[in-house]
Amino acid sequence: MGFRYEMRLSGSGGQGLILMSIILAEAIGVHDGKFVCQTQSYGPQAWGGSSKAEVIVSDVEIDYPKVMNLDLLLAMNQKSCDAYYRDLKQGGTLIVDSTFVHQIPTPHAFSIPFTRIARKKFKQDMVANIVALGALTQLTSIVSRKSIEDAVLIRVPKGTEKLNMDALRAGITSAKKAKKDRMLMEIVPDISDEDLRDAY
Amino acid sequence: MGFRYEMRLSGSGGQGLILMSIILAEAIGVHDGKFVCQTQSYGPQAWGGSSKAEVIVSDVEIDYPKVMNLDLLLAMNQKSCDAYYRDLKQGGTLIVDSTFVHQIPTPHAFSIPFTRIARKKFKQDMVANIVALGALTQLTSIVSRKSIEDAVLIRVPKGTEKLNMDALRAGITSAKKAKKDRMLMEIVPDISDEDLRDAY
C-alpha cells in the first residue's frame, strides 16, 4: 500500500465541520490532484447534535473509504475529543479548540482557541471552522496553501470571501504560534529535575 | 444483511450535488433515524468539472460505505448518465435532468427538466438541485417529506428558505407528473401490434 493519510474532523453540529471537510477534500483532490474521499455518517447512535466528517487522502484510488489508522484528529469540543482520541494512532496529530476542550489527553496536542479567535477577531463564532482549517493547513503538509485558499473561495457564501480569507490566515498564524509553543514546551520537559541538579 | 439502499447523485461541478447529497443524508440519518453514510471522491481520474456524491442508507451500521449495487442514479448531465448507467442495478431507478440528458438509456427512466423548471419558475438555475431533491423524495420512499423539508431549511443559505421550499415543492409536483406519464407509457407498450390485431 502506498501513501495514505486519514483525518477526522469532529465537534458539535453547527460548527461547520462538514463544510470544512468538503473544502479540505476539494483542495486536495481537485486542486492538488491526489485521490481523496470525504465521508460523513449519521445514525441513531449519534450523540445529540454532534458532527463528524472524515477525509482520506491517498496516492492510489481509495477502495476502503473508512478510517483504519487515524493520522489526524481535530476535536472542536470536549465530547468529540473524549470519544475519538483513542482512535488516533501513536504519534498522530491532535488539534483541539481550546475554547471548548479543557481536558487534553496528551501534552503533544496543538491547542488553539479557534472559536475565541473567531469571536474576538471577526465577531463571528461561525468562522471558527475556517480558522481551524488554516491551522490544519499550517500544521500538516497535506494540502498547499494556494489550494486551500482557492477551495475556500469557491465554497463559502458569496459576499463572505474576505471574511473567510482573513479567518484562514488567522488560523495559519495561530498554528505557527502553537507550533513554536509546543517546540519550546517539548524542550523544557526534557530537562528533568535531576538534570537541573546536575547542572550545578 | 438487512436493508441497504444506495444512491448516486451525479452531474457537473457547480450543479450543487454535494449540498444535495448532504441534505438528503441529514434528512434520513438525523431526522428519520436510519444509518446513513454520505461520500464524495475526488481524484486525478475525475473528468473535468464533474461531480459525484453517494448516499448509502441502511438499517444497520454501515461497514462498507461504497456502492456495491446501485439502487438509484440521478444524472444531471449526459456525461454522468453515460458514465454511471452501467452501475445501476437491474430494475434500479434512473432519474435524469432532461434539460441536459437527451439520450436516455432506458424507457423506464424518470425524465424531468430540473434545470428548466428552476430557470422558468425561479429565474435561477442554481436551485435545480433542490427541485431534483423534491422529485427524488416523491419518487422513492427513502425519506419522509417532513424530514427533507427540515433538512433543506437547516442547510440552505439564510434568506433563501422560501425560494428553496418552493423549489422542493416544484420538484415534488414534477415527479408526480413524471410518475403518471411513465405509468401511462408503460401501459401502452404492453399492447403489442398482435394484441391490437387480436382485438378486432
Side-chain angles (χ1 to χ4, degrees), chain A:
Chain A
M1 216 173 72
F3 168 79
R4 185 177 168 108
Y5 193 81
E6 303 182 347
M7 297 178 268
R8 180 179 290 160
L9 316 181
S10 61
S12 313
Q15 283 185 306
L17 293 160
I18 293 177
L19 176 62
M20 183 186 167
S21 70
I22 287 170
I23 293 173
L24 182 60
E26 289 185 348
I28 303 171
V30 179
H31 302 273
D32 283 349
K34 300 193 191 88
F35 290 94
V36 183
C37 192
Q38 189 277 321
T39 306
Q40 46 266 347
S41 299
Y42 310 86
Q45 90 291 7
W47 6 277
S50 66
S51 182
K52 176 184 76 150
E54 292 171 353
V55 178
I56 297 177
V57 186
S58 175
D59 58 2
V60 293
E61 211 160 336
I62 296 164
D63 274 331
Y64 189 74
K66 281 195 99 167
V67 158
M68 294 184 292
N69 199 20
L70 193 63
D71 294 280
L72 182 144
L73 174 64
L74 170 74
M76 297 287 283
N77 68 5
Q78 187 69 51
K79 220 168 182 177
S80 54
C81 186
D82 297 345
Y84 300 129
Y85 176 65
R86 74 193 66 149
D87 295 336
L88 192 64
K89 76 174 189 190
Q90 189 82 24
T93 304
L94 176 65
I95 308 173
V96 303
D97 183 344
S98 55
T99 316
F100 302 115
V101 182
H102 303 299
Q103 290 179 292
I104 304 173
T106 164
H108 301 294
F110 293 105
S111 170
I112 305 173
F114 298 121
T115 303
R116 211 152 54 225
I117 292 170
R119 201 176 287 165
K120 218 175 142 187
K121 279 190 89 90
F122 308 107
K123 315 264 176 268
Q124 300 220 36
D125 286 22
M126 228 185 63
V127 293
N129 61 339
I130 304 296
V131 180
L133 191 58
L136 190 153
T137 304
Q138 180 63 30
L139 294 173
T140 68
S141 52
I142 199 67
V143 62
S144 70
R145 182 162 164 176
K146 171 84 177 72
S147 300
I148 203 83
E149 286 179 354
D150 289 349
V152 166
L153 288 176
I154 286 169
R155 274 287 162 195
V156 298
K158 278 203 171 53
T160 68
E161 289 89 349
K162 187 178 177 311
L163 166 67
N164 280 289
M165 275 304 105
D166 289 346
L168 194 74
R169 277 160 205 157
I172 291 170
T173 307
S174 75
K176 284 183 185 160
K177 190 181 170 305
K179 222 168 183 170
K180 220 172 91 188
D181 287 355
R182 206 186 77 162
M183 267 173 59
L184 290 171
M185 193 207 65
E186 283 185 352
I187 294 166
V188 176
D190 276 353
I191 307 168
S192 66
D193 287 352
E194 220 158 70
D195 288 333
L196 279 174
R197 268 197 306 276
D198 288 350
Y200 293 101

Side-chain angles (χ1 to χ4, degrees), chain B residues 103-176:
Chain B
Q103 288 178 293
I104 305 172
T106 163
H108 300 294
F110 294 104
S111 169
I112 305 173
F114 298 121
T115 303
R116 211 152 54 225
I117 292 170
R119 200 176 287 164
K120 218 175 142 188
K121 279 189 88 92
F122 308 108
K123 315 266 175 267
Q124 300 219 36
D125 285 22
M126 225 186 65
V127 293
N129 61 339
I130 304 295
V131 179
L133 192 59
L136 191 153
T137 304
Q138 179 63 29
L139 293 173
T140 67
S141 52
I142 199 66
V143 62
S144 70
R145 182 163 165 176
K146 172 84 177 72
S147 301
I148 203 81
E149 285 179 353
D150 290 349
V152 167
L153 289 176
I154 286 169
R155 276 287 162 193
V156 297
K158 277 202 173 53
T160 68
E161 288 89 349
K162 186 176 179 311
L163 166 67
N164 280 290
M165 275 303 107
D166 289 345
L168 193 74
R169 278 162 205 157
I172 292 170
T173 307
S174 74
K176 284 184 185 161

